[in-house]
Amino acid sequence: MAIEIGTEAPDFELKNQHGELVRLSDFRGDKNVVVVFYPFAFTGVCTGEVCAIQKELPRLQNDEVQVLGVSNDSPFSQRIFAEQEGLDFPLLSDFWPHGEVSRAYGVFDGTKGCAVRGTFVIDKAGVVRWSVVNGLPDARDEQEYLTALGAL
């Protein structure tokens, strides 16, 4: 079960596609964060979703908001995926310990070995203000992220 709206978001530290550590707590007090869990790089629905985020990135990511994509792929896979698709936001690897952050957010599917499609809008205080969780085959609408951010 996904973490609830109104609760403090679990902190994490994951490597991005360049091998750099990214901590959720580093944004506290400075930026709202949109954390987008997706199952696997290079798959049809996931590619469509991250490309839709990239298309809306000028409206989604700015001085007030940071977008973070998270999957259980390795940082090496994330790097090639980001380069291939021209993605300008961090893709974080929840590869090892496998799915630890996905589990903390309640979006890890243990039978499939990957995160389901969970998105969490976290405010500057580190509190989850909005979320949506879809199953593996069901794409999310990035326009909902913009609406949720506008309500902060």
Side-chain angles (χ1 to χ4, degrees):
M1 179 177 237
I3 58 173
E4 295 183 23
I5 294 171
T7 62
E8 186 173 334
D11 196 16
F12 57 77
E13 178 180 273
L14 296 171
K15 287 184 179 179
N16 68 14
Q17 69 265 36
H18 304 292
E20 303 160 333
L21 289 176
V22 176
R23 292 174 196 82
L24 179 63
S25 57
D26 287 346
F27 300 101
R28 191 161 291 171
D30 187 40
K31 288 188 176 194
N32 301 302
V33 181
V34 180
V35 180
V36 181
F37 289 91
Y38 60 96
F40 294 113
F42 304 105
T43 58
V45 176
C46 295
T47 300
E49 285 188 314
V50 296
C51 288
I53 291 169
Q54 179 64 39
K55 182 179 175 186
E56 290 293 344
L57 202 59
R59 293 177 47 201
L60 279 171
Q61 184 171 279
N62 51 53
D63 291 341
E64 298 291 317
V65 182
Q66 177 66 53
V67 175
L68 301 173
V70 181
S71 79
N72 303 120
D73 296 296
S74 74
F76 311 106
S77 295
Q78 297 281 41
R79 184 172 188 155
I80 299 300
F81 185 49
E83 288 173 0
Q84 179 178 307
E85 299 303 330
L87 305 176
D88 295 322
F89 58 95
L91 299 183
L92 308 181
S93 174
D94 190 17
F95 183 73
W96 198 258
H98 190 69
E100 182 177 65
V101 175
S102 305
R103 291 174 206 273
Y105 279 75
V107 295
F108 188 78
D109 182 335
T111 60
K112 304 283 188 201
C114 65
V116 296
R117 299 179 193 287
T119 303
F120 300 87
V121 172
I122 302 164
D123 68 14
K124 292 178 183 181
V127 176
V128 176
R129 293 297 174 197
W130 181 86
S131 70
V132 63
V133 178
N134 290 359
L136 293 176
D138 302 320
R140 294 159 287 191
D141 181 357
E142 74 285 346
Q143 297 302 312
E144 292 179 4
Y145 312 165
L146 290 164
T147 301
L149 289 166
L152 294 180

